[in-house]
Structure formats: structure tokens, C-alpha cells
Amino acid sequence: MTMLNNHISRRAFIRKTTHGGAGLTLALTLPSVAGASESGPGKTVGNAAADEFSPNAFVRVSPDNTVTIISKHIEMGQGTYTGLATLLTEELDADWSQVKVEGSEADPKRYNNLLWGPFQGTGGSTAMANSFMQMREAGAKARAMLVAAAASLWKVPAGEITVESGVLHHKSSSSKISFGDIAELAAAQVVPEKVTLKTPEAFKLIGQPVVRKDTGKTSGKAIFTQDIQFPGMLTALIAHPPKAGGRVQSVDASAAKSVPGVVEVLTIDAGVAVLANDFWSAKKGRDALKISWDNSQAFSKSSSDILKSYKSQLEQPGTSVVNNGDFDAEYAQSDVRFDAIYEFPFLAHAAMEPMNCVIQRRPDGVEMWYGAQLQTGDQMQVAGLFGIQPEQVKINMLFAGGSFGRRANAHSDYVLEAAQIAKAYTKAVPIKLVWSREDDTRGWYYRPMYVHQLSASLDDEGYPKAWRHRIVGQSIISGTAFAGMMQNGIDPTSVEGASNLPYHVANLKVDLHTVKDGVPVLWWRSVGSTHNAYSTETFIDELAKAAGKDPVAYREHLLKEHPRHLGVMKLAAEKAGWGTPLPKGRFRGIAVHESFNSYVAQVAEIEEAGNNQYRIRKITCAVDCGLAINPDIIKAQMEGGIGYGLSPALMSEITLQDGEVQQSNFHNYRVLRINQMPDIDVHIVKSAEPPTGVGEPGTPVVAPAVANALFAATGKMPRKLPFDGLIV
Amino acid sequence: MGIELTINGEKHSLDVPEDMPLLWAIRDHLHLTGTKFGCGMAQCGACTVHLDGNAIRSCVTPVGTVKGQNITTIEGLQSQVAKAVQTSWDEGAVVQCGYCQSGQIMSAVALLENNANPSDKDIDDFMAGNICRCSTYVRIRAAIKDAAAKIA
Ligand code: FES
Ligand code: FES
């Protein structure tokens, strides 16, 4: 999602939604606050009470001295609530302990992702980057108004007032007052047009490992979608067609309806929904359904067929993405040529909280509670279904139990499923759609399957003179509201990490075969880099070996114009003791990659574990993400990103048999567990560059780093993921 | 005739079928939502509770099999070990999305109640049933050691 800048087509959403045409301009007006939930969990609306100071959409100060900061971005574990609050609190000079964070309501006008156009959503590691100035300015303006209020109260010049930890002081008159006590007076001040922001030397919070604001998660008190309970609420499970594009032909619901607790069975677009008083009854009801599926329009291929057809396409040139110099001529005349084919399977995101969504029809629209990641898109999709305006879809953004890209779906799949149920059911009661783990594993929107081919020839010194990268796979954005990002038929998310190869190669060619298959696909933590970092970073190691050069020295020679790549690579190498001897049976591998404008290098250290297997001992990681807003969260995201990236390296894959997903739960869609987690040592490059994201960039580097260590150990490079069996 | 359950020291009588997993009785009928649903087949540990002090997966434990026994959920943690674990979790900034963490904490408390000074291998073996998709594993290890030091 690197290039999402201003490319999301709101019109595409409108086109896709049958009744939403008039929503384009109306969606830009403020949503009505009527119909806000009166009580209960998930009350996330950022509306001020009468005696509060609410200078802008991002902060409120209450008379009880609480500073409430509004996050337009979802908290799904990546630390956004903390990061955004840090930025605003820094300029406000509030005390960190008086700050709490709420999720914003959905509004593409006030809560627009500034890198995406008039569209609210979280993804592409953009939360800090797009909010860096916005949240600081919001804090600075609020501070200026608090100061103006104190100045008028004390009748002193505003310039003589200082602010510290949520208290305003006037030294010479020994006056002081808390934010809470001056809140009401501050609300009467004029919002300043311009404010001066702090210079980095003055930062007190930015750069510090302040404690997180997404609290309640160690006591069981934090509320996720799964935890929402309303009086009279029904739980819904859906029997989904086993093949993508399948539909219900007929259903016998008599046995399901006789299950105690089952209230209703509804055939909807997405399948057959069972509504019951609790999860267990709904599940038993679903198990009792007898459904025949119409698979006439369904996608029915197997992974093996797909692989074969992808491989056959490697023989033909694809759409040209990069063509510098003359690869063909150079490669044809060279004696030293290298060629490698790589295979990447479909991957499920498998967030810890299976997808779910609570919905209630209201007289004036619908209200939803869930881990909303693409608010504006979801609003439009749901509005289209109901024939209402997007702002009549009120969204309460809750904590998400992970996402990794899954909840940022332009198709709004599970959100629309909940909406379909609410629309089809005669009673306007709250309904909680719950996916079981099986639904989640089989629920499509996978990281696409890809096949790559890399070909290169080397110059006399052993450096690549010609390099061609051919990629075959489905497009993630084609046909979605993100299709505006396509350039000349090329989906940038298919080629990111390959088209911007940092290594200096005079004759560089990248081409792409975009396959139109019916498997629903989606971005998966670090998107194109999940596969492009792997093939490029392992191929370069193979070339280094062929040239008889050390992998770090080899890269260094080719990265002369990329100081930030070099910076992280050298730091990781130094901290990992690259070049120093290792005990017998231990090996190292390195990889470096930029994604989402953040630079990450990792050194993997593995050791023999018997039976030709290896154990990963340690990953040493260096990251350059510009100014480090919260070093501890950056470290946590690197640790988490590494663990997440190890699963597809070691064991995860989704495979299809005649169109049906063969995996269902964690016993056969295996993911990393604690006993396979290596030690991790993270180092952050000191930088004054603008902050960039950290949610994704830790992920793509680890698989090639481990593969390169295996290559050092065995002389054989794994070219198919997962490399099951090599690592214990 | 309801099913008698003792949860966090309180007796409840629930009108639910005997085969209902304890998880859903706790969540949907007692409205204690700290215990999470992750897989429903004893694969992920998100639903971990204590049955007479031992960690069990409530998603595969029919309520009919635990009648009258003492069940503790994350909401009912009180022991000194439990407090140490929760404090170490907070101090070590373990949590990311948090969805797995009730289960992680319940497992960690059960581990330390039975083994006050676990080795790395003890920790890995005992905690391997608890998946964390945010991969907070290195911090979980560190927090368990920190809690062990606190109670020593
Ligand atoms: S929900 Fe019980 S182990 Fe996963
Ligand atoms: S903290 Fe997200 S799954 Fe563990």
C-alpha cells in the first residue's frame, strides 16, 4: 500500500453501491449525532459535553482534568492510540497520566487519512506519517487557547505563561491553574489560525517509551467486538459456500430451526445465516443445516493447477514495469547466467480474533460496532445495501484483535454479511455476526499466490550486469475502490520491492503477469514485499556466493546510492557480529529491505538441530523509520513483525483442492508458537527524518534472512515457501 | 434443573445444555468476556481458565463435566502470583492487540503456581499451547521470568 496517496476512488465505491450515488457530497457533511448509543460498551463517539473544552476533532479537556484524545485510526495492536496521543500531548503539554484515548466516529471529513484523499482508514503503515503534523497542530492549538484563557483570567500577557504537565503557571504572580479548571474558559477562546510547533530538542514525550494507552488488556476488561453484549442481542453464524463464487441452491433448515436457542434461519447473499440466543446454539443450528450449493459460477481450481499455469506464464514476457538498459542483449551475450524460480502460496491473515461485527438497524440508519479499519469504504458499502446515505451508517470503532490487513477490505466482506443479516431479519434487534476459526481460515481474501523468476548475468567482478524479475499472480487492487492506484495496468502492490530494487544494476527489467483468477485476495502485512523481498534478497545472496564475495560486502558495493539501506545493514551486521567466527554448527544470513518508507535489515543466526534440521537462535534487527516516536513500540513492532513473517517462512500455507480450502483451523493452518520464537535484538537508527511506519516493515525481511542462513549452512537456497521441515 | 457452576468463587445456576463448552457459558451467559474465543478446538489457548488451579481450555470443556468445581477466569485472578504476572505484563509492555493475552496470563499464572522458577524450556513447553498472532512471545518469556523474580 505504499502508493495509496490520494488514489482511492470514492467514485468507485459509489459505482459499486447501487443506491449510494447521492452520497458523494453528503458524505462530506458532518454526521448527525442523533442515534448515538446511549450506553454500553463501544461508546466511542468524540462529542463533547457542554462544559468541556473541545477545540478540534482530536482533543477534549473535561472539568475533571481528563484529556481525551480522539484517534481516527484503529488500534489493532500496533500502538496507534499511544503514538497519536503522544504527538498531541507533546504539543499540548498535558501530563501523560491525565490522557485517555477514544476511537473516533466514522467521518471522512474530519477523520480523513491525509495520505489517502477524503477517506478514513488505516493501513500501509501510514498512521503516524499522516498524523504527525495534524495531531501536533491540534495539540498546539488547544494549548494556545488554554494559555489565552489563563491570560485573560489573570490579566497577564500570554507570553508570560508557561505550561507544564497539564498545569498553567504565571511565575511573577505565582498563579497556577489546571487544564480542567480552565477548560470552560478556554472553550470561549478563538481557535488560532497558526501555531508554532516545538523543535525536536524540546520534545519531552516524542522519543520516549511512554506507557501504552490501550489499557485493560491484562485484566480482561478491554472490550473487543466479540465481547459486545446488548439486551436482546442475537448471535449469528453463517454457513458459507465452500467455493469462492458459490451460491445457495436450496436449504433444508428444519433440523436447524428445532435446535433450542435458534431463533431464525435466513438465506442471504453470503450463504445461510443462523440467528440464535448464543454462540453455541447458533453453531449447533448451523451444523444441522442441509444445504446444496450452486457451484456453476464458482472458482474450482486446485493450487497445483494454479501453480502449473503460473509457471507456464513465466515463459512469456509480461507487462513491462521497469526496463532500464537492455537486459535481453546483455543476458544473451553473457557466459555467466543465473536463473531461479520461486513459489509462494496463498496465506490467511489469521488474526487472533476471528472476524466479527455487531449491527443494529435504527429508525434513521444503522449502527455498527467492530474493529473498523476502512471506515469510509465500509460506510459506503453498507449504505449501498440499505439504500441510505453513508453518514447514516454509524460506526463505533473498537479494539481489533489483530488485522494484518484483513480488516482493510474494499469489499467489506464480513461487514456486509452482518448488514445483509440485519436487512433480512424482520426485527431491528442488535445482531452479532461471529466467524468461527474455520470461517476465518476459509474466509478468502488471502495474500495472493505468486510465482517469480529471477534471471541475472554477472560482470567480470561478479556483480550483476543484467537482472530480470518476472512476477506472476493476481492483482490485489484491480476491480476494487483502490484501482485508481493502477498504472498502465500494473498493480503497484504486485511489484513493490521488485520494481524499486535498490541494488545498482545497469540493465534492469521487471515485468508482471496479472492473472485473473477467482480467488478473493487482499493485502497481508507488508503486501508486495512479502514475496518480493524474499526473491530479491535470496537471489542476491546466491549471486554473492557465485561471485565468491561476502553477502554484506557484496550488497554494500551495490547500495552506494542508498544510504539508509546501507545504514541499517551495517548496524545489523555490526550488532550481530557479522564476520566474527561462530561456534561449529551455527550460521548467519542477512537481508535488507525498504517497505513503506522504512528501512529494515536483519541477521538471522541458526544452529544445527540434528536430522538436517536447524533452529533459529536469534534475529538481530536494525530499523530506520525516521524520527522514533516511541522506541519501545517500534521494538515491539519489529519483534511482532518478525514473528509474523516467520510463520509463512516456516509452516503456513493455504491450499485449494477443486476450489475448496484445505485448511480450517490452527492444527492445519499452522502458525508460529513460542517454542519456535527466536531471541530478538532490535536497534533503531537515530534519525531526524519524518517518521514512517513500523507495523509492516519488520515482516518481509526475516524469511530471506533465515533462508540465507540456511543457504550458508547447506549450500541450497529454499525457493519455495514455506520451507517446511528445515526449521524445528 | 440448571447447571451449577462455581466461577470466581460465586455459585451460578445456568439453564444451558450439558454439552455447551464452558467458554460459552462464561461469555454468553455469565457475561464475563475476558476469556476469549480463538479456535474452539484447544489449539490456541485464548480461552484458558483455571479448574482447581490448573489451566484448561474452556472451549473444549463441556459445562456438564465441571459442575460444582472451582473455576477461575481472568476476572477472578487474585493470588499473589497472579498479581505479579499482571504487573510484569504491564511493566514489560507485553501486549499488542491483546486478544490472546487473557489466555497467556492464565497459562503463565498456572505455570508459576506449579513451578516458581521455570527455565526457558519450561516456559516454552508450557506456553506452546497459547498462540499470539502479534508474536509477543519474547516479551511473554521475559515477563514470566520477571514475575518469577517478583514472587521469589
Ligand atoms: S479457543 Fe480454546 S484453545 Fe482456542
Ligand atoms: S497480543 Fe495480539 S494475539 Fe497476542
Side-chain angles (χ1 to χ4, degrees), chain A residues 49-55 61-64 141-156 161 168 176-192:
Chain A
D51 54 354
E52 283 183 325
F53 168 47
S54 177
V61 181
S62 319
D64 72 359
K141 285 182 178 172
R143 181 190 191 276
M145 292 165 74
L146 290 159
V147 168
S152 74
L153 179 71
W154 296 329
K155 308 207 168 30
V156 300
I161 292 173
L168 300 115
K176 67 173 183 175
I177 189 164
S178 73
F179 280 9
D181 287 339
I182 197 117
E184 218 176 325
L185 199 54
Q189 307 300 315
V190 188
V191 182

Side-chain angles (χ1 to χ4, degrees), chain A residues 46-104:
Chain A
N47 294 304
D51 54 354
E52 283 183 325
F53 168 47
S54 177
N56 53 55
F58 298 101
V59 60
R60 304 194 307 265
V61 181
S62 319
D64 72 359
N65 214 23
T66 304
V67 172
T68 303
I69 291 175
I70 318 299
S71 170
K72 66 181 181 179
H73 290 294
I74 187 176
E75 176 59 69
M76 46 198 173
Q78 82 284 39
T80 330
Y81 275 21
T82 311
L84 293 177
T86 300
L87 299 176
L88 196 145
T89 307
E90 177 70 67
E91 299 288 348
L92 182 62
D93 283 321
D95 194 78
W96 189 240
S97 64
Q98 74 187 123
V99 170
K100 71 180 177 70
V101 183
E102 278 182 9
S104 79

Side-chain angles (χ1 to χ4, degrees), chain A residues 194-216:
Chain A
K194 272 191 106 150
V195 278
T196 313
L197 301 181
K198 287 183 186 175
T199 53
E201 312 82 68
F203 289 160
K204 289 185 190 139
L205 288 174
I206 294 175
Q208 298 304 312
V210 296
V211 296
R212 291 179 68 125
K213 288 293 178 189
D214 48 338
T215 51

Side-chain angles (χ1 to χ4, degrees), chain B residues 23 36-48 57-60 129:
Chain B
L23 171 66
K36 300 297 192 234
F37 164 60
C39 69
M41 61 179 293
Q43 286 291 316
C44 77
C47 65
T48 305
R57 310 296 183 218
S58 64
C59 69
V60 292

